[in-house]
Amino acid sequence: MVVIFGLECQALDLLKATATLGDPPSTPTVHCWCSSYPNVTLCSWPEPLRSQPTHYLATYSERHSNGDAKMCHLIPPSSSSTSLTTEQSSSVSEQLWHCPLPNLKLLTEYILNITVVHSGGSSSHLTSFMLEDIVKPDPPVDVRVSPMATKNLLVEWSPPTTWKSMDIFPLKYQILYQWKIRGTTKSINLGPFENTKTELKGLIPGRTYQFQVCAKEMLGLGQCSDWSLPVQITIPTTKP
């Protein structure tokens, strides 16, 4: 049975009043992540490929609280709102609805209810989460690779600009580097590193390598970011 929180019932009734019988809308697939622990949490779901007008209602509440649910301010696809500041969300904002969830509590389980309504009916998606489980920073930026001594490279990068609490919640990093041998891709994943640079040794002169970096909360909360944009370099055959 779908649970509809009290705060949204009146608005939902107004939407349903214009609905006609027919196939209900598909249930939205909702994804939530915290790109800057603990203050920046965003939930999103794709805009359905249908012609009829679609309306959404979104509420969230603490699972074990008797208080009323809070309405989420919805940001439609193609919005130019400055609320969408993360690299992860802005890259797909043309296709996604967004629901920012401000000022969530630590170590608290939340329930998010997304209800979609159109002329064919309505359907809802319920999801629960804790901030600590959905932490996912944006990718590191400004990845740089420089030749050192023969066979050695210096890899440097900067933390994601959207991670606002480096002093309280620092990040650690992993490096993925890849190369090809006779058309087959080989890869090595190194880390974690607490610094934002490291020297790699024993690389093959004349070979082209591709480097990417991901970031994760220092204590291991959530998951690593998406990989940074790739940077390629060919190891010099002579000393730099």
Side-chain angles (χ1 to χ4, degrees):
M1 180 176 64
V2 175
V3 178
I4 305 297
F5 295 106
L7 187 60
E8 71 184 271
C9 286
Q10 183 177 0
L12 181 59
D13 288 342
L14 291 175
L15 290 174
K16 285 183 175 179
T18 62
T20 60
L21 295 178
D23 293 334
S26 59
T27 301
T29 301
V30 181
H31 172 63
C32 298
W33 71 97
C34 176
S35 61
S36 183
Y37 184 78
N39 297 320
V40 181
T41 301
L42 196 67
C43 296
S44 66
W45 59 94
E47 171 77 352
L49 300 176
R50 57 164 58 94
S51 58
Q52 62 267 51
T54 300
H55 305 273
Y56 292 97
L57 293 168
T59 61
Y60 62 101
S61 65
E62 297 177 34
R63 175 179 286 277
H64 302 295
S65 173
N66 295 324
D68 290 336
K70 298 179 181 179
M71 293 293 291
C72 177
H73 171 65
L74 295 179
I75 302 174
S78 304
S79 172
S80 59
S81 171
T82 55
S83 297
L84 300 179
T85 57
T86 70
E87 297 168 18
Q88 186 172 2
S89 64
S90 62
S91 64
V92 293
S93 62
E94 290 296 319
Q95 297 82 32
L96 298 180
W97 284 82
H98 292 89
C99 169
L101 304 179
N103 304 318
L104 299 185
K105 298 178 181 178
L106 306 186
L107 301 173
T108 301
E109 188 171 6
Y110 285 88
I111 297 176
L112 175 71
N113 184 352
I114 306 294
T115 299
V116 52
V117 181
H118 66 59
S119 59
S122 66
S123 65
S124 292
H125 174 93
L126 290 176
T127 187
S128 62
F129 62 87
M130 294 179 65
L131 274 182
E132 290 71 20
D133 295 329
I134 63 169
V135 174
K136 185 179 181 181
D138 286 324
V141 297
D142 195 23
V143 178
R144 309 174 301 281
V145 184
S146 309
M148 300 285 286
T150 303
K151 301 183 180 181
N152 294 1
L153 289 176
L154 178 65
V155 183
E156 302 174 275
W157 59 91
S158 298
T161 58
T162 49
W163 190 267
K164 301 300 184 183
S165 303
M166 284 293 296
D167 53 338
I168 304 176
F169 300 105
L171 296 172
K172 57 184 177 181
Y173 305 92
Q174 290 179 269
I175 294 176
L176 173 68
Y177 70 96
Q178 300 176 303
W179 67 95
K180 289 187 177 181
I181 300 179
R182 299 185 183 92
T184 301
T185 299
K186 305 291 185 179
S187 64
I188 293 179
N189 195 324
L190 299 177
F193 301 98
E194 296 185 11
N195 296 321
T196 56
K197 64 180 179 180
T198 189
E199 184 177 355
L200 303 182
K201 301 179 180 180
L203 303 178
I204 306 299
R207 177 176 289 173
T208 299
Y209 293 89
Q210 176 178 286
F211 295 87
Q212 293 174 279
V213 185
C214 76
K216 190 173 185 179
E217 194 276 332
M218 179 65 75
L219 297 180
L221 298 180
Q223 59 182 304
C224 214
S225 70
D226 292 337
W227 292 105
S228 65
L229 295 175
V231 174
Q232 290 189 343
I233 189 172
T234 300
I235 306 299
T237 55
T238 58
K239 291 184 179 181

